[in-house]
Amino acid sequence: MHNRRQVLTPDALEMMDTIERTGSFAAAARELGKVPSALTYSVRQLEDALDVLLFDRSSRQARLTAAGEELLREGRHLLAQIDAVANRVQRVASGWETQLTLAIDGVISQGPVFDLVEAFYALQPPTRLKVRHEVLSGTWEALASGHADLALGVGAARSDNPDIRVELLGEMAFCFVVAPHHPLASLPEPLPATELMRHRVIAVADTTRNLEGLTVGILPGQDVLTLPSLRDKQEALRRGLGCGHMPQYLVQSDLATGSLVRKAVDQPQRVASLNLAWRHKGREPGKALQWWLEHLRHPATRTALLSNAPVCA
């Protein structure tokens, strides 16, 4: 019996496709520039290797059996994939990365990120995108450890890694909010730290695995409910399960509808400087990273990522 991999080749699949499309061995042979006997021999080799009948011999037409139909269906998929791989390899050779991984901090607005992803895919690049959602130190760690190529929302610029470049993305304002039925909602402002300490604060867990995790806005001895994402924190705040700071853009609709109440606290307003950072490894970035850096340097894009405005890419 012939080795299946030796006979189940792209040429054999092309032959099957031509026979089915033209309707006969003779017509297929003319199109492929072969004699009909050579085509018949190739089909028998394929049938012997697979131990199945691919064509119904009782018909004068080249009629596929059920096994032949399945081989042709899967074969067409394989041929399309081979073409796609060849095209991808050609484009990668022209400077496109095979994959680009983005580490995006939870405070970055998701809508504008998807606007950018959509615009990137409109180029039909050969680069595959992978997005990681991180929080606080986890965003930097994903980049520094080599698990990401580009990070959005890095909270503090680090200079201890020569393979990473950092640029200011912009500033994000936070506000202190509680549910309207929370005990702090009815107290006079500004709320002192001594009063805040008596109430549970809601925090989002730092996603770092090896670095020391950060905590922001938690007072010594204060009860803490730690959740995995800002969206979870937002829901917990609406339910009155605690208090805490949130990005202003994220709670605008809650404040407008009364689902949350903004309260002044006896502390300076929290404004975070957020950065974008990327790995450069001493050489020019690939075309995919270049595209992202170019678009992330647009002032309108930076504003959108920090405020949920739409991106005009």
Side-chain angles (χ1 to χ4, degrees), residues 3-273:
N3 184 290
R4 293 179 178 182
R5 293 190 179 184
Q6 290 178 343
V7 298
L8 196 58
T9 63
D11 285 343
L13 297 175
E14 288 276 12
M15 174 190 68
M16 290 286 295
D17 181 74
T18 305
I19 294 171
E20 192 276 337
R21 180 166 45 79
T22 59
S24 72
F25 280 68
R30 284 195 298 272
E31 183 170 317
L32 294 173
K34 296 182 178 181
V35 296
S37 59
L39 216 61
T40 301
Y41 177 72
S42 297
V43 170
R44 289 198 181 279
Q45 279 190 311
L46 197 54
E47 290 178 326
D48 288 345
L50 299 176
D51 195 23
V52 298
L53 285 176
L54 299 175
F55 289 93
D56 184 355
R57 297 298 196 276
S58 66
S59 173
R60 298 186 63 181
Q61 297 295 318
R63 183 176 299 168
L64 290 166
T65 63
E69 290 177 352
E70 181 64 16
L71 176 62
L72 183 58
R73 180 164 47 250
E74 293 299 324
R76 284 170 172 165
H77 289 317
L78 287 173
L79 290 173
Q81 290 174 6
I82 290 171
D83 289 340
V85 169
N87 291 335
R88 181 179 294 277
V89 168
Q90 287 179 338
R91 297 196 71 187
V92 166
S94 69
W96 289 90
E97 302 91 326
T98 56
Q99 177 170 297
L100 188 73
T101 302
L102 282 61
I104 300 178
D105 194 277
V107 298
I108 297 296
S109 180
Q110 294 183 18
V113 170
F114 280 108
D115 289 341
L116 288 169
V117 170
E118 187 176 6
F120 180 74
Y121 279 143
L123 301 175
Q124 297 185 334
T127 304
R128 296 181 176 92
L129 287 182
K130 181 178 181 181
V131 177
R132 299 167 57 109
H133 288 292
E134 304 287 350
V135 177
L136 296 172
S137 297
T139 309
W140 172 265
E141 183 184 67
L143 187 67
S145 64
H147 289 109
D149 306 294
L150 175 66
L152 302 183
V154 175
R158 315 275 182 112
S159 58
D160 56 349
N161 192 323
D163 291 337
I164 294 177
R165 294 183 180 175
V166 180
E167 285 184 11
L168 180 65
L169 188 62
E171 294 187 334
M172 180 176 290
F174 288 72
C175 59
F176 186 84
V177 294
V178 295
H181 56 279
H182 190 279
L184 289 173
S186 59
L187 296 183
E189 303 172 274
L191 300 173
T194 52
E195 184 62 42
L196 297 179
M197 289 174 59
R198 298 176 57 245
H199 300 273
R200 181 185 306 111
V201 66
I202 301 176
V204 179
D206 193 316
T207 55
T208 184
R209 294 144 183 91
N210 300 307
L211 300 176
E212 184 178 352
L214 296 176
T215 57
V216 180
I218 301 175
L219 298 172
Q222 191 173 20
D223 183 24
V224 184
L225 169 61
T226 304
L227 296 171
S229 72
L230 268 179
R231 299 294 177 180
D232 293 322
K233 178 177 179 177
Q234 188 173 17
E235 180 61 24
L237 287 167
R238 290 173 183 149
R239 293 173 179 265
L241 297 177
C243 58
H245 285 85
M246 287 288 288
Q248 272 187 197
Y249 83 86
L250 198 56
V251 294
Q252 289 292 355
S253 60
D254 286 318
L255 296 175
T257 60
S259 300
L260 290 174
V261 177
R262 180 173 183 168
K263 299 291 289 185
V265 295
D266 192 14
Q267 301 169 1
Q269 183 183 10
R270 277 183 54 193
V271 177
S273 294

